[in-house]
Amino acid sequence: APPAAAPVDLFGGGTPLGAAPMGAPAPSVMAMAPTPMAMAPSNPVINAFEKNGLKLTMELTKTDPTDVQKSDIKCVFTNTSMGDVTNLNFQAAVPKFITLAMKPPSSTTVPANGGGTVEQIVTVKNSQINVKKLMVRMKISYTANGQNLVEQAQVADFPAGY
């Protein structure tokens, strides 16, 4: 029987657990592992916004096992246009039964051609969890191709339990 593949560190350590030491050939486990999107029912990802090459996805996580009402939303901005998106400003609003706290973004410039991402963590606490669903209204202002743009969007299709 062939040897078992080394388990993959799903928490982003970058190296498969039990991998060969530096300089030695490592087994190609990443080629066999499913993509994170395919195995992520525990962390739903929502396509929240896409316009002018700017795309926003939201990954939902439960970071505090002692507080079921609390969720983190990792907002990831990517840019497929030919020019950088600059002066990115993301604002979010939620209904009164939800509290919201936003951390600063990792940058205000989203590199062109998918050359990098900007991330911003939004923490929400739904006091009506499993009664009323999470809903987020967004205002995204940015500069693309020399134009100052302001877009508004709403995400209401979050799964239950967030």
Side-chain angles (χ1 to χ4, degrees):
V8 176
D9 179 4
L10 296 178
F11 297 103
T15 306
L17 299 175
M22 293 297 279
S28 180
V29 256
M30 294 312 282
M32 296 180 286
T35 62
M37 291 280 197
M39 55 187 265
S42 59
N43 286 354
V45 176
I46 294 171
N47 293 322
F49 173 83
E50 190 165 6
K51 192 169 184 182
N52 301 318
L54 183 64
K55 181 177 181 180
L56 166 61
T57 58
M58 295 179 161
E59 179 183 0
L60 304 167
T61 56
K62 293 287 191 180
T63 54
D64 185 351
T66 64
D67 189 350
V68 296
Q69 296 180 344
K70 184 178 174 184
S71 303
D72 278 355
I73 304 170
K74 180 166 76 170
C75 300
V76 179
F77 292 89
T78 55
N79 174 17
T80 58
S81 71
M82 300 296 280
D84 288 351
V85 167
T86 58
N87 302 317
L88 178 69
N89 183 27
F90 175 67
Q91 297 173 325
V94 292
K96 290 182 180 177
F97 61 90
I98 298 171
T99 57
L100 174 136
M102 295 178 72
K103 293 189 176 164
S106 58
S107 176
T108 57
T109 300
V110 189
N113 301 314
T117 62
V118 170
E119 294 184 2
Q120 187 165 6
I121 303 294
V122 177
T123 301
V124 292
K125 188 168 183 173
N126 184 347
S127 65
Q128 303 274 325
I129 198 153
N130 297 324
V131 176
K132 293 185 179 180
K133 288 178 74 173
L134 174 62
M135 183 179 76
V136 177
R137 285 194 179 150
M138 305 169 292
K139 182 177 178 182
I140 304 167
S141 58
Y142 57 99
T143 304
N145 300 320
Q147 288 187 299
N148 294 327
L149 302 166
V150 178
E151 305 291 347
Q152 294 188 17
Q154 179 173 304
V155 179
D157 58 347
F158 290 100
Y162 287 93

PDB file of all heavy atoms in Angstrom, residues 78-99:
ATOM      1  N   THR A  78     -10.822  42.090  -3.751  1.00  0.00           N
ATOM      2  CA  THR A  78      -9.889  41.796  -4.832  1.00  0.00           C
ATOM      3  C   THR A  78     -10.220  42.710  -6.005  1.00  0.00           C
ATOM      4  O   THR A  78     -11.316  43.279  -6.089  1.00  0.00           O
ATOM      5  CB  THR A  78      -9.980  40.323  -5.283  1.00  0.00           C
ATOM      6  OG1 THR A  78     -11.333  40.018  -5.628  1.00  0.00           O
ATOM      7  CG2 THR A  78      -9.503  39.375  -4.200  1.00  0.00           C
ATOM      8  N   ASN A  79      -9.259  42.852  -6.906  1.00  0.00           N
ATOM      9  CA  ASN A  79      -9.403  43.779  -8.024  1.00  0.00           C
ATOM     10  C   ASN A  79      -8.896  43.108  -9.296  1.00  0.00           C
ATOM     11  O   ASN A  79      -7.718  42.811  -9.415  1.00  0.00           O
ATOM     12  CB  ASN A  79      -8.599  45.053  -7.717  1.00  0.00           C
ATOM     13  CG  ASN A  79      -8.547  46.020  -8.862  1.00  0.00           C
ATOM     14  OD1 ASN A  79      -9.331  45.949  -9.802  1.00  0.00           O
ATOM     15  ND2 ASN A  79      -7.613  46.950  -8.796  1.00  0.00           N
ATOM     16  N   THR A  80      -9.799  42.901 -10.255  1.00  0.00           N
ATOM     17  CA  THR A  80      -9.410  42.278 -11.522  1.00  0.00           C
ATOM     18  C   THR A  80      -9.195  43.300 -12.632  1.00  0.00           C
ATOM     19  O   THR A  80      -8.890  42.920 -13.757  1.00  0.00           O
ATOM     20  CB  THR A  80     -10.473  41.259 -11.980  1.00  0.00           C
ATOM     21  OG1 THR A  80     -11.729  41.934 -12.118  1.00  0.00           O
ATOM     22  CG2 THR A  80     -10.598  40.122 -10.978  1.00  0.00           C
ATOM     23  N   SER A  81      -9.345  44.584 -12.319  1.00  0.00           N
ATOM     24  CA  SER A  81      -9.164  45.600 -13.362  1.00  0.00           C
ATOM     25  C   SER A  81      -7.681  45.835 -13.635  1.00  0.00           C
ATOM     26  O   SER A  81      -6.811  45.354 -12.904  1.00  0.00           O
ATOM     27  CB  SER A  81      -9.843  46.914 -12.951  1.00  0.00           C
ATOM     28  OG  SER A  81      -9.124  47.531 -11.905  1.00  0.00           O
ATOM     29  N   MET A  82      -7.382  46.597 -14.690  1.00  0.00           N
ATOM     30  CA  MET A  82      -5.999  46.852 -15.113  1.00  0.00           C
ATOM     31  C   MET A  82      -5.281  47.866 -14.220  1.00  0.00           C
ATOM     32  O   MET A  82      -4.063  47.935 -14.222  1.00  0.00           O
ATOM     33  CB  MET A  82      -5.978  47.354 -16.556  1.00  0.00           C
ATOM     34  CG  MET A  82      -6.590  46.363 -17.549  1.00  0.00           C
ATOM     35  SD  MET A  82      -5.676  44.840 -17.658  1.00  0.00           S
ATOM     36  CE  MET A  82      -4.360  45.363 -18.725  1.00  0.00           C
ATOM     37  N   GLY A  83      -6.037  48.676 -13.461  1.00  0.00           N
ATOM     38  CA  GLY A  83      -5.421  49.692 -12.598  1.00  0.00           C
ATOM     39  C   GLY A  83      -5.763  49.448 -11.138  1.00  0.00           C
ATOM     40  O   GLY A  83      -6.791  48.846 -10.817  1.00  0.00           O
ATOM     41  N   ASP A  84      -4.897  49.938 -10.252  1.00  0.00           N
ATOM     42  CA  ASP A  84      -5.153  49.806  -8.819  1.00  0.00           C
ATOM     43  C   ASP A  84      -6.449  50.514  -8.436  1.00  0.00           C
ATOM     44  O   ASP A  84      -6.796  51.553  -9.014  1.00  0.00           O
ATOM     45  CB  ASP A  84      -4.016  50.434  -8.004  1.00  0.00           C
ATOM     46  CG  ASP A  84      -2.724  49.625  -8.052  1.00  0.00           C
ATOM     47  OD1 ASP A  84      -2.738  48.488  -8.578  1.00  0.00           O
ATOM     48  OD2 ASP A  84      -1.707  50.149  -7.567  1.00  0.00           O
ATOM     49  N   VAL A  85      -7.138  49.975  -7.450  1.00  0.00           N
ATOM     50  CA  VAL A  85      -8.254  50.660  -6.801  1.00  0.00           C
ATOM     51  C   VAL A  85      -7.667  51.309  -5.562  1.00  0.00           C
ATOM     52  O   VAL A  85      -7.027  50.636  -4.745  1.00  0.00           O
ATOM     53  CB  VAL A  85      -9.381  49.671  -6.435  1.00  0.00           C
ATOM     54  CG1 VAL A  85     -10.393  50.314  -5.497  1.00  0.00           C
ATOM     55  CG2 VAL A  85     -10.069  49.156  -7.687  1.00  0.00           C
ATOM     56  N   THR A  86      -7.847  52.622  -5.428  1.00  0.00           N
ATOM     57  CA  THR A  86      -7.250  53.356  -4.314  1.00  0.00           C
ATOM     58  C   THR A  86      -8.349  54.014  -3.473  1.00  0.00           C
ATOM     59  O   THR A  86      -9.514  54.039  -3.864  1.00  0.00           O
ATOM     60  CB  THR A  86      -6.270  54.429  -4.824  1.00  0.00           C
ATOM     61  OG1 THR A  86      -6.976  55.316  -5.698  1.00  0.00           O
ATOM     62  CG2 THR A  86      -5.098  53.804  -5.573  1.00  0.00           C
ATOM     63  N   ASN A  87      -7.946  54.552  -2.344  1.00  0.00           N
ATOM     64  CA  ASN A  87      -8.847  55.273  -1.432  1.00  0.00           C
ATOM     65  C   ASN A  87     -10.051  54.423  -1.026  1.00  0.00           C
ATOM     66  O   ASN A  87     -11.153  54.945  -0.848  1.00  0.00           O
ATOM     67  CB  ASN A  87      -9.324  56.596  -2.052  1.00  0.00           C
ATOM     68  CG  ASN A  87      -8.168  57.497  -2.414  1.00  0.00           C
ATOM     69  OD1 ASN A  87      -7.220  57.642  -1.646  1.00  0.00           O
ATOM     70  ND2 ASN A  87      -8.208  58.067  -3.605  1.00  0.00           N
ATOM     71  N   LEU A  88      -9.845  53.125  -0.879  1.00  0.00           N
ATOM     72  CA  LEU A  88     -10.935  52.229  -0.501  1.00  0.00           C
ATOM     73  C   LEU A  88     -11.434  52.567   0.900  1.00  0.00           C
ATOM     74  O   LEU A  88     -10.652  52.691   1.840  1.00  0.00           O
ATOM     75  CB  LEU A  88     -10.466  50.769  -0.535  1.00  0.00           C
ATOM     76  CG  LEU A  88     -11.504  49.727  -0.119  1.00  0.00           C
ATOM     77  CD1 LEU A  88     -12.619  49.631  -1.152  1.00  0.00           C
ATOM     78  CD2 LEU A  88     -10.831  48.364   0.051  1.00  0.00           C
ATOM     79  N   ASN A  89     -12.740  52.743   1.019  1.00  0.00           N
ATOM     80  CA  ASN A  89     -13.374  52.998   2.310  1.00  0.00           C
ATOM     81  C   ASN A  89     -14.640  52.148   2.377  1.00  0.00           C
ATOM     82  O   ASN A  89     -15.551  52.330   1.567  1.00  0.00           O
ATOM     83  CB  ASN A  89     -13.699  54.480   2.483  1.00  0.00           C
ATOM     84  CG  ASN A  89     -14.301  54.777   3.851  1.00  0.00           C
ATOM     85  OD1 ASN A  89     -14.058  54.067   4.815  1.00  0.00           O
ATOM     86  ND2 ASN A  89     -15.095  55.828   3.924  1.00  0.00           N
ATOM     87  N   PHE A  90     -14.675  51.218   3.315  1.00  0.00           N
ATOM     88  CA  PHE A  90     -15.793  50.299   3.476  1.00  0.00           C
ATOM     89  C   PHE A  90     -16.553  50.649   4.739  1.00  0.00           C
ATOM     90  O   PHE A  90     -15.967  50.747   5.815  1.00  0.00           O
ATOM     91  CB  PHE A  90     -15.261  48.859   3.548  1.00  0.00           C
ATOM     92  CG  PHE A  90     -16.302  47.825   3.830  1.00  0.00           C
ATOM     93  CD1 PHE A  90     -17.299  47.557   2.911  1.00  0.00           C
ATOM     94  CD2 PHE A  90     -16.278  47.103   5.015  1.00  0.00           C
ATOM     95  CE1 PHE A  90     -18.257  46.583   3.168  1.00  0.00           C
ATOM     96  CE2 PHE A  90     -17.227  46.128   5.279  1.00  0.00           C
ATOM     97  CZ  PHE A  90     -18.222  45.878   4.354  1.00  0.00           C
ATOM     98  N   GLN A  91     -17.856  50.893   4.599  1.00  0.00           N
ATOM     99  CA  GLN A  91     -18.714  51.178   5.746  1.00  0.00           C
ATOM    100  C   GLN A  91     -19.830  50.145   5.764  1.00  0.00           C
ATOM    101  O   GLN A  91     -20.315  49.724   4.705  1.00  0.00           O
ATOM    102  CB  GLN A  91     -19.308  52.578   5.650  1.00  0.00           C
ATOM    103  CG  GLN A  91     -18.264  53.673   5.678  1.00  0.00           C
ATOM    104  CD  GLN A  91     -18.871  55.048   5.412  1.00  0.00           C
ATOM    105  OE1 GLN A  91     -19.801  55.186   4.635  1.00  0.00           O
ATOM    106  NE2 GLN A  91     -18.328  56.058   6.070  1.00  0.00           N
ATOM    107  N   ALA A  92     -20.245  49.741   6.962  1.00  0.00           N
ATOM    108  CA  ALA A  92     -21.307  48.747   7.097  1.00  0.00           C
ATOM    109  C   ALA A  92     -22.302  49.209   8.148  1.00  0.00           C
ATOM    110  O   ALA A  92     -21.935  49.866   9.126  1.00  0.00           O
ATOM    111  CB  ALA A  92     -20.716  47.397   7.490  1.00  0.00           C
ATOM    112  N   ALA A  93     -23.568  48.867   7.916  1.00  0.00           N
ATOM    113  CA  ALA A  93     -24.636  49.158   8.868  1.00  0.00           C
ATOM    114  C   ALA A  93     -25.480  47.904   9.019  1.00  0.00           C
ATOM    115  O   ALA A  93     -25.641  47.128   8.075  1.00  0.00           O
ATOM    116  CB  ALA A  93     -25.489  50.320   8.366  1.00  0.00           C
ATOM    117  N   VAL A  94     -26.009  47.726  10.227  1.00  0.00           N
ATOM    118  CA  VAL A  94     -26.808  46.543  10.536  1.00  0.00           C
ATOM    119  C   VAL A  94     -28.078  46.977  11.263  1.00  0.00           C
ATOM    120  O   VAL A  94     -28.144  48.082  11.807  1.00  0.00           O
ATOM    121  CB  VAL A  94     -26.008  45.547  11.416  1.00  0.00           C
ATOM    122  CG1 VAL A  94     -24.856  44.929  10.633  1.00  0.00           C
ATOM    123  CG2 VAL A  94     -25.494  46.218  12.676  1.00  0.00           C
ATOM    124  N   PRO A  95     -29.103  46.113  11.300  1.00  0.00           N
ATOM    125  CA  PRO A  95     -30.311  46.441  12.067  1.00  0.00           C
ATOM    126  C   PRO A  95     -30.005  46.595  13.555  1.00  0.00           C
ATOM    127  O   PRO A  95     -28.961  46.150  14.039  1.00  0.00           O
ATOM    128  CB  PRO A  95     -31.227  45.231  11.829  1.00  0.00           C
ATOM    129  CG  PRO A  95     -30.691  44.568  10.607  1.00  0.00           C
ATOM    130  CD  PRO A  95     -29.222  44.853  10.578  1.00  0.00           C
ATOM    131  N   LYS A  96     -30.942  47.197  14.286  1.00  0.00           N
ATOM    132  CA  LYS A  96     -30.718  47.523  15.697  1.00  0.00           C
ATOM    133  C   LYS A  96     -30.492  46.313  16.596  1.00  0.00           C
ATOM    134  O   LYS A  96     -29.861  46.432  17.638  1.00  0.00           O
ATOM    135  CB  LYS A  96     -31.896  48.342  16.244  1.00  0.00           C
ATOM    136  CG  LYS A  96     -31.934  49.729  15.658  1.00  0.00           C
ATOM    137  CD  LYS A  96     -33.062  50.545  16.219  1.00  0.00           C
ATOM    138  CE  LYS A  96     -32.999  51.925  15.569  1.00  0.00           C
ATOM    139  NZ  LYS A  96     -34.057  52.796  15.951  1.00  0.00           N
ATOM    140  N   PHE A  97     -30.974  45.138  16.203  1.00  0.00           N
ATOM    141  CA  PHE A  97     -30.793  43.954  17.051  1.00  0.00           C
ATOM    142  C   PHE A  97     -29.402  43.347  16.882  1.00  0.00           C
ATOM    143  O   PHE A  97     -29.076  42.345  17.518  1.00  0.00           O
ATOM    144  CB  PHE A  97     -31.888  42.905  16.791  1.00  0.00           C
ATOM    145  CG  PHE A  97     -31.934  42.363  15.386  1.00  0.00           C
ATOM    146  CD1 PHE A  97     -31.198  41.245  15.022  1.00  0.00           C
ATOM    147  CD2 PHE A  97     -32.721  42.975  14.421  1.00  0.00           C
ATOM    148  CE1 PHE A  97     -31.244  40.753  13.735  1.00  0.00           C
ATOM    149  CE2 PHE A  97     -32.779  42.479  13.134  1.00  0.00           C
ATOM    150  CZ  PHE A  97     -32.041  41.363  12.787  1.00  0.00           C
ATOM    151  N   ILE A  98     -28.565  43.959  16.046  1.00  0.00           N
ATOM    152  CA  ILE A  98     -27.196  43.482  15.814  1.00  0.00           C
ATOM    153  C   ILE A  98     -26.222  44.592  16.205  1.00  0.00           C
ATOM    154  O   ILE A  98     -26.431  45.749  15.851  1.00  0.00           O
ATOM    155  CB  ILE A  98     -26.997  43.107  14.332  1.00  0.00           C
ATOM    156  CG1 ILE A  98     -27.939  41.958  13.954  1.00  0.00           C
ATOM    157  CG2 ILE A  98     -25.550  42.727  14.045  1.00  0.00           C
ATOM    158  CD1 ILE A  98     -27.975  41.644  12.478  1.00  0.00           C
ATOM    159  N   THR A  99     -25.169  44.225  16.932  1.00  0.00           N
ATOM    160  CA  THR A  99     -24.097  45.186  17.190  1.00  0.00           C
ATOM    161  C   THR A  99     -22.963  44.885  16.229  1.00  0.00           C
ATOM    162  O   THR A  99     -22.773  43.751  15.804  1.00  0.00           O
ATOM    163  CB  THR A  99     -23.589  45.117  18.644  1.00  0.00           C
ATOM    164  OG1 THR A  99     -23.158  43.789  18.924  1.00  0.00           O
ATOM    165  CG2 THR A  99     -24.670  45.521  19.624  1.00  0.00           C
TER     166      THR A  99
END
